Amino acid sequence: MKVLVPVKRVVDYNVKIRVKPDNSGVDLSNVKMSVNPFCEIAIEEAVRLKEAGTATEVVAVTVGSSASQEQLRTCLALGADRAVLIETDADAQPLGIAKALKALQEKEGAELVIFGKQSIDGDNSQTGQMFAALTGMPQGTFASEVKIADGRIDVTREIDGGLQTVSLKLPAVVTTDLRLNEPRYASLPNIMKAKKKPLDVVTPDELGVDLTPSVEVLSVEPPAERQAGIKVESVEELVDKLKNEAKVIS
């Protein structure tokens, strides 16, 4: 069974985000970039499936600029067998990415496609669902546990009311939640081996896909700074401030 894992290059989660002075976007100059944390969980799950003998090949793929090869090499070091870069300098958005991945899936014929549930930059949580809709594949989103047997995959989903388990016929789409697993660290020997693993580069034109953005970002602004808290001496003083200053109770 081949597993396809789409990943995304994002600003490292440890970096404090800075907005450009003209509010046109996030300042990415001299900023550390990493694999999206949810995508790392997806890679880890795919590699575990291979280690268990369920999967035979793990293919990492991303849509982005040539700089994204660094993150694909990270995925190879984490255990992916090969990688594909759909290279573009366009501001790729969820629907365009889903279309590009659909075109690649038609070539790869993967039986399981594992996404991170969302990226930590856009927080859209859309690409996996859009991909499933475009391909007609069943989907299990926000997965905290997966089990594969007899041509089906059982996905335990995290929902508002608790947990829900769905049984999907393969090929299928899964998006990972935080509690699915804990990603491993790439060892130095695996980082060295990753340099020799195949990384193919294709263009959207070769896949017959138009990645022209359909949504225009008008302005990006940092959140308002939080005011410092205060200490109160008594419950009565707390109630008074909540009523007369914060005006959250009457």
Side-chain angles (χ1 to χ4, degrees):
M1 181 178 73
K2 181 187 293 187
V3 182
L4 188 67
V5 186
V7 300
K8 188 176 183 182
R9 181 177 190 259
V10 298
V11 175
D12 189 89
Y13 69 93
N14 288 310
V15 173
K16 184 176 180 180
I17 301 298
R18 300 191 309 270
V19 175
K20 292 180 179 178
D22 61 359
N23 295 109
S24 62
V26 174
D27 186 359
L28 300 180
S29 58
N30 301 315
V31 170
K32 180 183 178 183
M33 307 295 285
S34 300
V35 178
N36 178 52
F38 288 103
C39 299
E40 287 186 331
I41 295 172
I43 284 286
E44 175 66 23
E45 193 64 23
V47 172
R48 291 189 185 189
L49 289 173
K50 184 182 177 184
E51 291 173 343
T54 304
T56 55
E57 184 181 28
V58 177
V59 183
V61 56
T62 193
V63 180
S65 67
S66 59
S68 299
Q69 292 190 35
E70 177 186 356
Q71 282 65 48
L72 287 175
R73 290 293 179 193
T74 298
C75 294
L76 293 172
L78 291 172
D81 298 294
R82 59 187 178 90
V84 179
L85 170 62
I86 303 174
E87 187 173 357
T88 177
D89 290 323
D91 178 22
Q93 296 175 349
L95 181 57
I97 295 171
K99 289 179 178 179
L101 294 174
K102 174 181 179 291
L104 185 67
Q105 164 64 6
E106 290 172 352
K107 295 177 61 177
E108 294 287 344
E111 292 182 79
L112 180 61
V113 184
I114 308 180
F115 289 78
K117 74 169 185 177
Q118 66 193 81
S119 61
I120 62 172
D121 52 3
D123 267 343
N124 293 306
S125 188
Q126 294 176 335
T127 309
Q129 292 90 324
M130 288 178 171
F131 173 84
L134 290 171
T135 59
M137 296 166 66
Q139 58 181 307
T141 55
F142 316 130
S144 61
E145 184 180 6
V146 297
K147 295 179 180 178
I148 299 177
D150 302 323
R152 303 189 71 88
I153 179 169
D154 292 341
V155 181
T156 300
R157 305 179 58 238
E158 298 200 357
I159 60 175
D160 291 342
L163 299 176
Q164 176 192 62
T165 300
V166 295
S167 182
L168 312 173
K169 184 178 179 181
L170 295 172
V173 177
V174 171
T175 73
T176 65
D177 216 319
L178 279 173
R179 280 153 289 280
L180 180 59
N181 61 54
E182 184 175 343
R184 69 193 69 188
Y185 290 100
S187 65
L188 182 57
N190 287 338
I191 292 173
M192 300 305 294
K193 291 177 184 178
K195 295 180 180 180
K196 298 181 179 180
K197 290 184 178 180
L199 194 163
D200 300 323
V201 179
V202 298
T203 64
D205 289 340
E206 291 172 340
L207 296 174
V209 177
D210 181 9
L211 293 184
T212 302
S214 57
V215 177
E216 179 185 0
V217 177
L218 301 180
S219 177
V220 176
E221 299 178 8
E225 293 188 7
R226 296 177 63 180
Q227 296 181 348
I230 61 172
K231 291 183 178 181
V232 295
E233 299 296 331
S234 65
V235 173
E236 290 76 12
E237 184 182 357
L238 172 61
V239 172
D240 178 69
K241 289 187 178 297
L242 289 174
K243 180 178 181 180
N244 299 312
E245 293 185 17
K247 297 186 184 302
V248 294
I249 62 174
S250 57

